[in-house]
Amino acid sequence: MASVTLPQTFEAPATPTTLKLAKREQVMIGAHIIAALTALMFGIFMGPFQTFHRSPTFVQYFPTIPVFTFYYQAVTAHGVMNALFFTTFFIIGFSYFVTERSLQRPIKSTPMGWAAFASMAAGLLMMLFVLLTGPQQSAVLYTFYPPMIAPALFYIGLVLLALGSWLASANVFLTYRDWKREHPNERVPLAVFAIIVNFIVWCVATVGVAIEIVFMLLPASLGLLKVTDPQLARTLFWFFGHPLVYFWLLPAYVSWYTMLPRQAGGKLFSEPLARVAFIMFVLFSVPVGVHHQFSDPGISASSKGVQTLLTLIVSVPSFMTAFNVGAALENAARNRGAKTLFDWPFKQKWNDPVVAAQLTGMVLFVAGGFSGLINASAQLNATIHNTSWVPAHFHQTLGGAVTMTYIGILYWLLPAIRGRALFSKKIALAQVFTWLIGMTLFGLAMGEAGLQGVPRRALTSQAPYLTPAGAFWLDVTAVSGIILLISSILLYANIIGTLFFSRQPMPEGEVPIETVSGDRTSPLWFERWGLWLGILGILLLISYGPVMAEVLDFQEGWNILRFMPTSNAPMP
Amino acid sequence: MEINKLERYWLIAVGITLGAFVAATIVAVTVFGIRLPAPVERIDPQRLDQTIFAKPGVRKIADNRYEAVIVAKSWAFDAGPEAGNPAVLRFPRGSQVTFYVTSKDVMHGFQIEKHTLNLELVPGQVARASANFNRPGTYHIICNHYCGAGHQVMYGVIIVE
């Protein structure tokens, strides 16, 4: 590897891979992680109370549930804080860390990094303000479909989050460009390759929701626009909404591919195929959003068919990941003495919270992935669309694989940021396993309830149509809610403990990251991003061209915003 | 770039799995005739009185064939005065019913329990879907799309006799 001259301003750690953070890393990355944990705190604790709200038996014995007495406001807070703010802050903080350590250079511009952070933090504060103190009209859920319109602060908060995330993306792209100029014939380390992919997906996807918010929702909220088109808005939202889940998932894959093998004591099976998987995410993450709209009246069956096929294809890189990471874990177990065909899953470091958290995430992801394939099959969707099966699915993926991997990362990154040891490894392990049990039960019960016809995001304990079977499964979700509440308390006990009460110095350790350039067997043209964007453009034209034509309905002229008066979310 | 033999087998297995999913989707359309909702017509939700939704209700169009015109609004399904509130629709066993549904205010959902009928009701769009009622029983029509504070009490009933 060519020796790297570090810029003067880079206060380098003693060795590039030491876990001890330089001051500037500590502040910048720490700020993002703390902001992420603040958002998560408001989001995560809403979850269990929703299962209580929804359970007929629970409500019968405890008629007043203290947190967020208006159920739909709690659902909104849970979705917006967990899915939009926690993830974005965490991903950007983690991406900076990975980029700086892997490329052994600071991010391109620290002031730009702080500008991005300030924008997102202002967005977070506005959103918290409107959710906590604002009128209950803010209960538009995290999908915020018009003609329901929330207060303007809701949308301004989202715009600031997006603006900040774009600045952060640009910062990472520019850092990579600088590195590439100095290393024209080297492969960028896999972790950074994946981070670039992730920000490309994010920047393409957010175009849809940005158009929706800036040209439709915000003007409507300010009273400038009296009409809207819900079908167009939904289409723009899901252009963003599905790639969003890959934006959450890919950082978890970064950890699985580039850190977990070393943490588990093995090595990655195939680096080039990992890159192929990530390239597939550039191509297929975005042109699939219509699979959330299989039941929409405004889109033709053939357009839905095209995106069904593309959705099935986007599962391929995840299957590739399962093999590649699975093989790395088997390799780790063999190094630890596993002998037989099926003993390697048990010979993992299940007593190390960093590893155990990621492994439990994978276990949940098996159920999440396959339920996703079911959802993607257009006709099966008619059975489960908008039922509680859907949250069952994405609590295995987002609430399982993604969240547990982020928590696994947190268990080494937070001590590094604080410069102290994790407050308690035992609490961390208890948290991991209670989460696995709670989320498994939650997924099972919500899935079963959904098959009984129980709708998602409804205050079902008050629903006159609830069947005994549906009621039973909702009561089971309340039990899972109790387990997940305990797990969440354990998580935050450990976070607060590590930040304020940990007296142990941080153990000597290494960043579990590859700092050398990529595997020589990976072709250099994998990094021809213009090529991948070009193919993505063609795929978007094929998949979204007809959809937009149908939704905009040019036969009746170009006046697309012609129908719907906007409407405030009804007060409780 | 080399692909390991085992990994190649794995990828082939993945291909077969996904091929099966695609085949199942095609069979569902061609053999079982399960159709996804598709564009019918755009209408002005403020001027429903000038459309078929002026008089919601159930109409018999042939032996065992019915048309049901229903307007969703916060928070009820309006299927005409005869159906009442919550709307109760009665069909003889073996009927095939085509539903025409729209929303006059916010987004709603339209799902019939234990039947593969599940529609997003988007204001400005007419949603159409058919269901066969072959098993006697009582089935709820559930609004499964969040529509405000009274979302959970928005439902209707179908009785198959």
Side-chain angles (χ1 to χ4, degrees), chain A residues 263-522:
Chain A
Q263 288 161 337
K267 72 187 259 297
L268 185 60
F269 185 77
S270 167
E271 215 239 27
L273 276 179
R275 286 175 200 252
V276 174
F278 284 115
I279 290 170
M280 288 190 74
F281 280 117
V282 180
L283 304 183
F284 297 105
S285 287
V286 191
V288 294
V290 167
H291 72 229
H292 291 259
Q293 299 178 277
F294 284 151
S295 291
D296 280 28
I299 298 171
S300 73
S302 59
S303 299
K304 290 168 181 170
V306 170
Q307 299 215 8
T308 301
L309 189 65
L310 289 166
T311 306
L312 292 174
I313 295 175
V314 79
S315 72
V316 172
S318 287
F319 277 116
M320 290 166 71
T321 303
F323 183 91
N324 212 339
V325 175
L329 289 172
E330 184 184 346
N331 173 258
R334 300 277 176 240
N335 293 342
R336 295 162 60 80
K339 291 274 180 288
T340 63
L341 195 54
F342 291 115
D343 66 345
W344 60 271
F346 305 99
K347 284 258 162 91
Q348 302 293 339
K349 292 186 189 165
W350 286 103
N351 59 351
D352 175 355
V354 171
V355 176
Q358 299 183 71
L359 294 179
T360 53
M362 289 176 192
V363 171
L364 291 167
F365 199 45
V366 175
F370 278 104
S371 58
L373 282 176
I374 291 168
N375 302 347
S377 306
Q379 293 86 0
L380 286 179
N381 179 71
T383 313
I384 52 85
H385 184 75
N386 277 353
T387 70
S388 65
W389 169 281
V390 179
H393 158 68
F394 67 71
H395 280 78
Q396 311 294 306
T397 52
L398 173 58
V402 172
T403 305
M404 284 319 287
T405 304
Y406 288 11
I407 288 173
I409 293 167
L410 197 68
Y411 283 152
W412 60 262
L413 187 55
L414 195 66
I417 288 167
R418 182 63 185 87
R420 301 264 177 208
L422 188 66
F423 179 68
S424 164
K425 218 171 132 173
K426 282 199 179 113
I427 293 179
L429 279 173
Q431 186 273 321
V432 167
F433 291 108
T434 44
W435 193 272
L436 175 65
I437 295 164
M439 212 44 105
T440 305
L441 192 61
F442 179 82
L444 176 76
M446 287 286 275
E448 287 288 345
L451 295 176
Q452 300 294 335
V454 173
R456 68 188 287 198
R457 332 205 263 198
L459 186 52
T460 44
S461 57
Q462 317 290 323
Y465 49 74
L466 202 60
T467 57
F472 169 77
W473 288 113
L474 285 168
D475 290 341
V476 177
T477 64
V479 176
S480 76
I482 294 170
I483 302 171
L484 289 166
L485 180 61
I486 294 168
S487 189
S488 309
I489 292 170
L490 293 176
L491 173 67
Y492 272 85
N494 223 344
I495 291 169
I496 291 166
T498 306
L499 289 177
F500 301 110
F501 303 107
S502 175
R503 294 281 167 264
Q504 301 292 321
M506 201 179 60
E508 290 292 309
E510 290 211 323
V511 186
I513 200 171
E514 302 291 342
T515 53
V516 294
S517 24
D519 192 324
R520 291 265 160 206
T521 56
S522 296

